[in-house]
Amino acid sequence: MTRLIEILISLAIVAVLFLVVGIALPSSRHLSHSVETNRKLTIVFDTLNSMRRFKDWNPLALRDPNMELKLVGKEEGVGARLEYSSKERGLGNGSWEIVKSEPGKLVGYKITSVERGDNKRSEFTLKPTGKNNRNVEITQTYDVDYGWDLLGRYSGLYVSSNVGEDVKMGLARLSNLLATVPNYDYSKLSESDPAGAPKIVDRPAENVLSVTAAVERDNDKIKGQIHSNMEWIKKVIAANGLEAVGPVRIVTNEFGAETYSFDVVQQVRKIGDTSTEATKLDVKIDGPGNPVKAELLAPTKVVVSSSSGHNFAALPPVRDAVRAWALTRGYTTTDRPYEAWKAGIDESFDPALGKFDVYWPVK
């Protein structure tokens, strides 16, 4: 009997200690870690404000390669939510949802998980830093409330080592991800004209005629070569009862220090054909040395942006900005970028008259 009483007293002491210590422990936990990147502020914000690249920086998916991820509702901004489901112990079902979004400043997530605690949240604050504010300091915080859940308060003792390590890993992965994006501020594409804002559109199947050329990087020689290639294309159009659709396109193959290699491309169709779905045309290309090639381009998605008020030589940074916009939203660019020269060939060489639609296929 004495032994039993001693055991009960010991258990009572342990229970009292558990309660006393539990009550003394914090009812909430807060973590904060930072990392610095040299990417543009627009790129950093849009990457965090979109769920399309979540799995590429957040370490959650690394804990279970078989985890099921599902985008719900919007893809970006407040209301965008990613739900996950795992059979791994300690993961289960949960979600990350964007509940705060201040352009260029902050992205806040509401977190639902099987771990103890309520009101779990993580915020990313963005602060220009470094010389001339060229860099961005990304600070991620994590907060959780336990209230009077004493077991939760005890679990909070391990937040720094568990969640804290995930936060540091996520910031490192985010920094590496951002480094793969061309460092161009694509928000400037729409500063003078809202139509310049990049967007994803479906490009249907198209019949095109093209000629490849490589000439010295001299504007007069490039212009002359484009006109010459267009004459070949016009002959094939006339000989096959075709008509041009839209402006001429230029596809850059290589913009070297001394040589410019490119394709001159013209979309075509049978005269009077108004069908919306193109099928491969039977194009006869006659004549010795005729360089024209006919092909049917498969339907695809493209990111497109409009740009004007400059000549074709100013297009390389526009292409990179379009690609940066696509990458931040989880699209992979494929094939080669190209431009529709809407102002015509000669005007596109004028420093002030060029008007272009810049395209890049994506998947």
Side-chain angles (χ1 to χ4, degrees), residues 61-62 64 71 82 109 113 130 149 248 281 293 337 351:
L62 296 180
D64 178 11
L71 287 175
L82 184 139
Y109 289 87
S113 66
D149 178 3
V248 63
L281 296 174
K293 181 174 68 173

Side-chain angles (χ1 to χ4, degrees), residues 285-312:
I285 299 177
D286 300 319
N290 191 326
V292 178
K293 181 174 68 173
E295 61 181 323
L296 175 66
L297 300 181
T300 187
K301 289 186 180 296
V302 295
V303 55
V304 57
S305 173
S306 298
S307 183
S308 61
H310 55 79
N311 64 10
F312 89 103

